[in-house]
Amino acid sequence: FQDSLRDTAITGEFSKAEEAKLGSTIRASALQWNQTQMEISKGMGVLVAGGLQDAKALEAYAPILAKSATATRASMDDLGSVVLALRNNLKVGEEGIEGSLNMLAYAGKRGQFEIRDMAKWLPTLTPTYASMGVSGKEAVAEIGASLQIARKGAGSNDEAANNYRKFLQKLFSQDTKKDFEKAGVNIEASMKNL
């Protein structure tokens, strides 16, 4: 664990005090949420490698990821990927991450597309939402619900996510834009209005 924490501190360029504080937070989170220190450390490593190099932010994320991992049975690697996609593309900050993970977990429990599957696909779906101007919890809720709907007509979660990704790409393609213009509809303005 100490070696993993040191790697995270080196990559994040943390001071000894920041490393020690993060280590204490990880240990406390492991005890509180029934996770191993090593698992939580892996999640922190994913976040730091993904560009989140703020020790205070990591301290905030450690208990949230531990709690979510226990509740959803998702791995820390998966949850780290989800957090990065939400932060980087949908502009969900520390204060909104727990609520966003709860939304995705709820959507997964109500349907067949669970959060560990979302971790694989959110990095490819969230940039499309960002380009549409949809961000924050609104986008999180939309993606979670849309993936459940897509899953109903697909044979697997990967097929459902791929179909949904293709739908979004097609919806915002130049050909689609031109076709709507011929019919007198500005599709981009209509989508933003929605």
Side-chain angles (χ1 to χ4, degrees):
F1 166 69
Q2 199 61 44
D3 184 55
S4 174
L5 183 62
R6 178 64 40 90
D7 282 346
T8 299
I10 290 169
T11 304
E13 299 179 355
F14 302 151
S15 68
K16 292 278 186 196
E18 289 172 324
E19 178 183 344
K21 187 138 173 43
L22 180 59
S24 294
T25 301
I26 290 171
R27 285 183 187 95
S29 299
L31 285 172
Q32 184 175 7
W33 299 110
N34 198 28
Q35 293 291 319
T36 67
Q37 296 173 46
M38 202 53 211
E39 273 302 302
I40 298 172
S41 183
K42 279 186 202 173
M44 298 300 99
V46 169
L47 294 177
V48 170
L52 178 60
Q53 299 185 343
D54 177 351
K56 285 190 189 264
L58 289 176
E59 287 175 44
Y61 285 129
I64 293 169
L65 291 183
K67 181 179 180 180
S68 296
T70 299
T72 64
R73 303 289 187 224
S75 74
M76 285 291 174
D77 290 345
D78 289 344
L79 291 172
S81 297
V82 169
V83 167
L84 288 173
L86 297 178
R87 269 183 58 89
N88 297 340
N89 298 321
L90 300 182
K91 308 304 179 221
V92 177
E94 288 105 64
E95 67 287 340
I97 285 294
E98 186 169 9
S100 295
L101 289 174
N102 286 342
M103 280 187 216
L104 294 175
Y106 179 78
K109 288 181 185 202
R110 299 291 295 170
Q112 292 178 294
F113 206 104
E114 295 187 13
I115 200 165
R116 65 180 152 259
D117 300 309
M118 291 179 198
K120 180 178 180 180
W121 288 95
L122 282 176
T124 62
L125 294 172
T126 54
T128 304
Y129 273 82
S131 71
M132 293 182 332
V134 182
S135 61
K137 288 186 177 183
E138 179 183 79
V140 175
E142 181 73 27
I143 289 173
S146 297
L147 287 171
Q148 301 309 326
I149 293 166
R151 179 60 177 95
K152 289 181 184 269
S156 70
N157 289 341
D158 284 343
E159 183 183 344
N162 194 40
N163 290 346
Y164 186 56
R165 182 178 56 87
K166 287 178 182 178
F167 166 75
L168 289 174
Q169 288 172 341
K170 203 62 143 161
L171 185 61
F172 295 100
S173 73
Q174 289 303 315
D175 289 340
T176 302
K177 185 178 173 183
K178 287 176 189 172
D179 289 342
F180 273 96
E181 282 174 2
K182 288 177 193 172
V185 176
N186 181 337
I187 186 68
E188 288 179 1
S190 295
M191 291 300 291
K192 285 184 181 180
N193 189 36
L194 275 173

